[in-house]
Amino acid sequence: MSTEAISESEFLREFTREVQNKNAAVFAGAGLSMGSGYVDWKGLLKDVIVDLGLDPDREHDLVTLAQYHCNKAKGNRGRLAQVILDHFGTTRAPTKNHHILASLPIRTYWTTNYDKLLEKALEAAKKVPDAKHTVSQLSATRPDRDVIVYKMHGDVEHSTDAVISKDDYERYERKMEPFIAALRGDLVAKTFLFLGFSFTDPNIDYILSRVRVQYEDSQRPHYCIQKKVTRNSGESKVDFEYRELKQHYFIGDLKRFGILTVLVVDYDGITALLGKVAAIYKRTSIFISGAAENYGTWAEADAKAFLFKLGHEFTAGNRVVSGFGIGVGSAVLNGVLTQLDSLGKSVTDERAVLRPFPQLDGGKGSKLRWTEYRRALIEYAGIAIFVFGNYRDPAGTVALSDGMREEFDICVTAGVIPIPVGATGFMAEVLWKQVSANLGKFVPSADARFKKDFAKLGDVTLNATQLVQLLRKLVARLQNN
């Protein structure tokens, strides 16, 4: 492995911090779209290169080759436009990488790709993308937009205007100067993750160079993920070591632009790494599941003090998510609001998601709708805390909450780490016993110290303050793991 590359742990720690602070941006190259079945630039121009009498396997300066085609066609770009439509006009589904990126709180995307995979993934994540591929679009804002997608080389639906030939690149600084200015600004103000990008694009090189010159001693760090060079079948050791050395120098050269590289063994490693970023980010969202018609051995005042502390303590540095369960939701909400007020923050979905369940008729349709409502809430979270868990059935008897059981099952299926507080009794106690019996299954990262503290969650002699402090320790370990 190149000594110029950074470790996975450093990348996860630093880039995830930028994601959490809403300072992250993405730059997507052709490699991000290839998993959907789209071609890279060489695949796009393969027939054009062959028609020039050249060998696609021996050619690498694809911008110049596109220009050769235009020269031969006396400036006619019709075939290039059709080639883009032929290869990118076919509807394809976004990859898992697209969907992971779309799930993160990233508001700025840049791409040299013509396809619409980013926009589709963002829409699937229920976000409104504002895609821009012309200068005139920069001054107009799509209503209710959540994300901006800058398509600096054009869009498949406007292939006649795509940037593809040497003429296009040479004119780019003059025709598309506002795009250059916008990207320069984002490179200064945001931390980029470059994916599927070769860094051979003349426009990007031009912009990165000018940012480097202007901010040479104070460049913002950026990151890229690359596949580690591996030895091909039948390849000589000398040839492999030559390619490995070139990658080493390439990674070192990217540091001139403040771009740090993390290497993965194969392309699936990129998906795994992005998945870890998403998992770490989601662990800053804490789902609190609870309902209580009866507080059991707890005095009502003590129970509400505990719930208040839960909302108050976990709002600092996290986002609290809750369905506003009966006997639980109001106390948690008061804790959240008090903490936000002390921090001088307003209530937004980025800080707290507190939504009461819809009042339905209780029939079969209602149960299905409640299930979907629970899934939607839990989708925000990476860690779930379960407290109390009871309701009064039609006969007036206090019963264990089947709704909490369902929320637990949804969490486990979704990969949300469950932390039931057994000391609160009822369904939470049942779930605590279940998790305790097989902690490694529910919390794979649990070490001996975590197991010891998790066991204390069933200690009924602990008071509200002690339980909340214990929960803070457990959550902090999960978030830092």
Side-chain angles (χ1 to χ4, degrees):
M1 180 177 289
S2 171
T3 55
E4 294 284 357
I6 63 172
S7 66
E8 177 182 304
S9 60
E10 180 181 347
F11 166 73
L12 289 172
R13 182 185 69 245
E14 298 301 325
F15 185 69
T16 304
R17 180 184 297 131
E18 296 300 317
V19 171
Q20 291 168 346
N21 291 332
K22 313 299 186 296
N23 292 329
V26 167
F27 203 118
L32 187 65
S33 297
M34 289 178 68
S36 288
Y38 286 133
V39 296
D40 60 6
W41 259 53
K42 183 168 284 192
L44 177 68
L45 295 175
K46 181 178 179 180
D47 290 342
V48 170
I49 296 170
V50 169
D51 289 347
L52 288 170
L54 301 174
D55 183 355
D57 294 331
R58 297 171 61 184
E59 299 297 332
H60 303 286
D61 188 354
L62 303 176
V63 172
T64 297
L65 293 172
Q67 186 60 48
Y68 289 167
H69 166 81
C70 289
N71 295 345
K72 185 179 177 181
K74 302 187 185 313
N76 190 320
R77 297 167 51 90
R79 187 177 177 198
L80 289 179
Q82 188 60 49
V83 164
I84 292 172
L85 278 172
D86 289 344
H87 285 284
F88 294 104
T90 304
T91 300
R92 298 190 185 278
T95 66
K96 187 173 182 179
N97 291 340
H98 287 95
H99 288 300
I100 293 173
L101 292 171
S103 72
L104 296 171
I106 296 173
R107 296 168 178 166
T108 303
Y109 291 81
W110 284 84
T111 183
T112 52
N113 300 339
Y114 308 123
D115 61 67
K116 295 182 177 293
L117 295 178
L118 280 172
E119 296 96 304
K120 288 180 181 178
L122 290 163
E123 288 168 352
K126 298 183 179 179
K127 297 180 181 179
V128 178
D130 187 0
K132 300 181 182 300
H133 58 88
T134 67
V135 170
S136 61
Q137 291 173 330
L138 295 178
S139 61
T141 301
R142 182 175 178 179
D144 299 319
R145 77 176 179 194
D146 299 301
V147 175
I148 305 177
V149 181
Y150 294 100
K151 307 183 77 168
M152 62 183 299
H153 285 175
D155 180 86
V156 61
E157 293 183 359
H158 303 269
S159 59
T160 55
D161 299 320
V163 175
I164 191 169
S165 69
K166 207 165 188 178
D167 278 343
D168 299 326
Y169 280 91
E170 289 170 351
R171 295 168 182 158
Y172 198 89
E173 183 181 359
R174 174 175 55 83
K175 291 181 61 178
M176 305 291 282
E177 193 281 331
F179 267 79
I180 293 175
L183 180 53
R184 286 176 65 179
D186 281 344
L187 284 166
V188 172
K190 302 178 186 299
T191 296
F192 273 75
L193 175 61
F194 292 86
L195 287 169
F197 202 75
S198 65
F199 295 97
T200 57
D201 188 287
N203 284 333
I204 306 305
D205 186 64
Y206 171 87
I207 296 165
L208 288 173
S209 297
R210 276 143 189 79
V211 172
R212 181 181 71 84
V213 169
Q214 190 168 3
Y215 294 91
E216 188 165 5
D217 296 327
S218 56
Q219 291 185 83
R220 191 181 190 94
H222 304 292
Y223 302 91
C224 76
I225 305 175
Q226 291 184 38
K227 178 182 174 295
K228 183 181 182 293
V229 168
T230 54
R231 190 171 177 178
N232 298 323
S233 176
E235 183 180 24
S236 71
K237 182 180 179 183
V238 171
D239 288 343
F240 162 63
E241 290 177 346
Y242 184 84
R243 292 192 302 113
E244 191 175 43
L245 185 60
K246 282 190 69 175
Q247 184 178 54
H248 170 78
Y249 288 131
F250 176 64
I251 293 170
D253 190 58
L254 287 178
K255 288 184 177 180
R256 292 192 304 125
F257 306 107
I259 299 173
L260 306 176
T261 302
V262 59
L263 293 174
V264 295
V265 175
D266 51 35
Y267 291 115
D268 287 342
I270 296 176
T271 305
L273 200 53
L274 292 177
K276 289 179 181 179
V277 171
I280 293 170
Y281 167 69
K282 288 185 75 172
R283 286 179 192 175
T284 61
S285 291
I286 314 297
F287 177 61
I288 298 178
S289 172
E293 281 281 0
N294 186 296
Y295 297 108
T297 60
W298 287 65
E300 182 175 348
D302 292 339
K304 290 187 174 178
F306 167 63
L307 296 168
F308 176 90
K309 289 177 184 292
L310 269 185
H312 187 272
E313 292 300 312
F314 282 104
T315 299
N318 298 291
R319 173 171 59 177
V320 172
V321 182
S322 181
F324 214 81
I326 188 168
V328 170
S330 59
V332 170
L333 174 61
N334 286 337
V336 170
L337 295 178
T338 301
Q339 182 67 276
L340 288 176
D341 186 59
S342 69
L343 297 171
K345 305 293 185 181
S346 59
V347 181
T348 67
D349 271 4
E350 292 181 354
R351 304 190 183 282
V353 181
L354 299 162
R355 297 176 183 168
F357 275 74
Q359 298 301 305
L360 304 172
D361 59 16
K364 185 177 180 180
S366 298
K367 290 184 178 180
L368 290 174
R369 188 172 172 189
W370 274 327
T371 297
E372 290 308 309
Y373 198 84
R374 289 187 169 102
R375 291 186 195 280
L377 273 177
I378 292 167
E379 176 64 27
Y380 288 98
I383 298 172
I385 296 173
F386 298 85
V387 294
F388 299 104
N390 63 72
Y391 75 105
R392 198 172 298 278
D393 66 18
T397 304
V398 174
L400 298 183
S401 173
D402 50 0
M404 179 180 283
R405 161 60 73 181
E406 183 179 45
E407 288 171 1
F408 175 85
D409 291 340
I410 292 171
C411 284
V412 172
T413 300
V416 178
I417 298 176
I419 306 182
V421 184
T424 60
F426 304 102
M427 181 58 77
E429 182 180 8
V430 173
L431 299 177
W432 171 75
K433 289 179 179 177
Q434 179 180 342
V435 175
S436 297
N438 195 356
L439 191 59
K441 171 187 174 183
F442 296 100
V443 190
S445 63
D447 56 16
R449 185 175 59 164
F450 188 95
K451 292 177 181 178
K452 182 178 179 180
D453 285 339
F454 189 87
K456 295 177 183 177
L457 290 176
D459 187 347
V460 295
T461 67
L462 297 182
N463 60 34
T465 299
Q466 291 170 322
L467 277 175
V468 171
Q469 289 175 344
L470 184 59
L471 287 167
R472 289 284 288 180
K473 286 170 60 179
L474 291 167
V475 168
R477 287 179 199 151
L478 292 172
Q479 291 175 335
N480 296 325
N481 210 312

